[in-house]
Amino acid sequence: MLSVSIESIGIAAPGLNGWKESTKVLNGTKDYCPTPLEKYKPSLLPPNERRRATELVRMAFRVCEDAFAQRPDENAAQYATVFASSGGDYPIIDQICRSLCEPERLVSPTRFHNSVHNSAAGYWSIAVGGQRASTSLSAHDASFAAGLLEAMTYCQLEQQPCLLAVYDICPPEPLQAKRTIPVEFGTALLLKPTATEQSLATIRLQGFCNNDITPLASPPLEALRQQNPAACSLTLLTCIAQQKSSTVIFENGFQNIALEVTL
């Protein structure tokens, strides 16, 4: 049966700025207040790449750097990576579409470079010197579950650690009217094939099912979960923050997945 351990967590959303601070909100000891995130400056990116990095890439770095900041003993270059976003870089898509509507139809090479779905993975590989396997995927609203399954499978089959990053930012208008994501959200998980003394939890795939998706007990956090595909992760993260073993159901396209969380 597919099973991995979670060694560390990164998270970023309005009112959830970093795992250490967010655990107080997720375990109910602090009220949720959706304070907007400040612009993030990735610490691992060289200056040239940092200047070119888009808001989507900065979100990916924010959660990945948060996860590794809690485990400074881990070498990021030794981790395979899975990056998942429901639709990629919406602001860049908007900018390129606007350029193509102009008479000159000139597309900036930097914007084209940032438009590919694996741009965040590329920046990350440059930043950490990573040469391990890397996958970038999209599964619309099921992107968190799809990314998690991909990362768990790699971790188990290859017996190697894997970094999973799932993130989406708000599309600008007029895209927002057709693809409504009103709030930004990102999370990153450091996964290992077997548990260690520092493991936060072990997760095991129970299987596919048609059961309803697990909601959150907190109304404001449940509202956040429904506003961004990456925020589906909140049911898992809340179990860990509350130190509560449970079974959670995630959306996964035609059939949902059931995941057993053991603390």
Side-chain angles (χ1 to χ4, degrees):
M1 185 61 72
L2 202 55
S3 175
V4 299
S5 72
I6 298 177
E7 299 296 304
S8 182
I9 298 170
I11 185 172
L16 299 173
N17 189 10
W19 177 246
K20 284 187 178 178
E21 285 299 317
S22 299
T23 53
K24 300 173 186 173
V25 176
L26 298 180
N27 66 21
T29 58
K30 181 179 177 181
D31 290 338
Y32 176 59
C33 180
T35 307
L37 293 171
E38 295 181 357
K39 184 171 178 144
Y40 188 67
K41 184 178 178 181
S43 61
L44 292 176
L45 268 181
N48 281 342
E49 281 70 25
R50 190 184 305 146
R51 281 193 292 274
R52 299 189 186 104
T54 65
E55 289 305 311
L56 186 75
V57 171
R58 291 172 188 269
M59 170 58 86
F61 267 73
R62 184 192 291 261
V63 293
C64 291
E65 290 183 353
D66 182 33
F68 277 105
Q70 297 159 62
R71 291 297 303 272
D73 55 317
E74 294 292 332
N75 182 354
Q78 298 302 313
Y79 275 69
T81 59
V82 174
F83 287 81
S85 170
S86 76
D89 204 318
Y90 294 110
I92 290 294
I93 294 170
D94 177 67
Q95 291 165 12
I96 289 178
C97 288
R98 290 178 186 277
S99 296
L100 292 175
C101 290
E102 298 293 330
E104 298 82 5
R105 298 171 65 84
L106 297 177
V107 175
S108 155
T110 300
R111 285 177 182 167
F112 180 77
H113 160 83
N114 283 324
S115 70
V116 296
H117 199 69
N118 64 348
S119 62
Y123 279 102
W124 182 256
S125 296
I126 292 171
V128 304
Q131 297 186 18
R132 299 284 187 179
S134 180
T135 300
S136 296
L137 59 82
S138 172
H140 203 248
D141 287 343
S143 292
F144 174 72
L148 184 61
L149 285 177
E150 176 71 16
M152 290 177 70
T153 302
Y154 178 88
C155 207
Q156 269 295 308
L157 287 179
E158 301 296 333
Q159 290 293 294
Q160 296 287 332
C162 186
L163 162 67
L164 168 66
V166 188
Y167 45 88
D168 269 300
I169 61 174
C170 308
E173 292 291 355
L175 292 177
Q176 180 72 238
K178 298 296 183 184
R179 177 55 172 159
T180 303
I181 300 178
V183 63
E184 55 187 339
F185 190 99
T187 187
L189 306 177
L190 303 191
L191 305 177
K192 285 193 172 180
T194 56
T196 69
E197 292 183 354
Q198 291 79 34
S199 295
L200 299 176
T202 297
I203 53 175
R204 183 174 68 88
L205 178 66
Q206 288 185 333
F208 298 89
C209 65
N210 294 316
N211 297 350
D212 292 338
I213 297 166
T214 306
L216 290 164
S218 163
L221 290 177
E222 173 61 12
L224 174 61
R225 185 189 70 80
Q226 296 180 22
Q227 289 178 327
N228 187 306
C232 294
S233 59
L234 279 172
T235 47
L236 169 61
L237 306 187
T238 299
C239 285
I240 296 172
Q242 296 178 351
Q243 292 289 293
K244 182 177 70 177
S245 296
S246 183
T247 296
V248 292
I249 311 294
F250 294 106
E251 180 179 356
N252 186 44
F254 294 109
Q255 277 197 308
N256 296 331
I257 63 169
L259 200 71
E260 181 182 87
V261 184
T262 305
L263 277 299

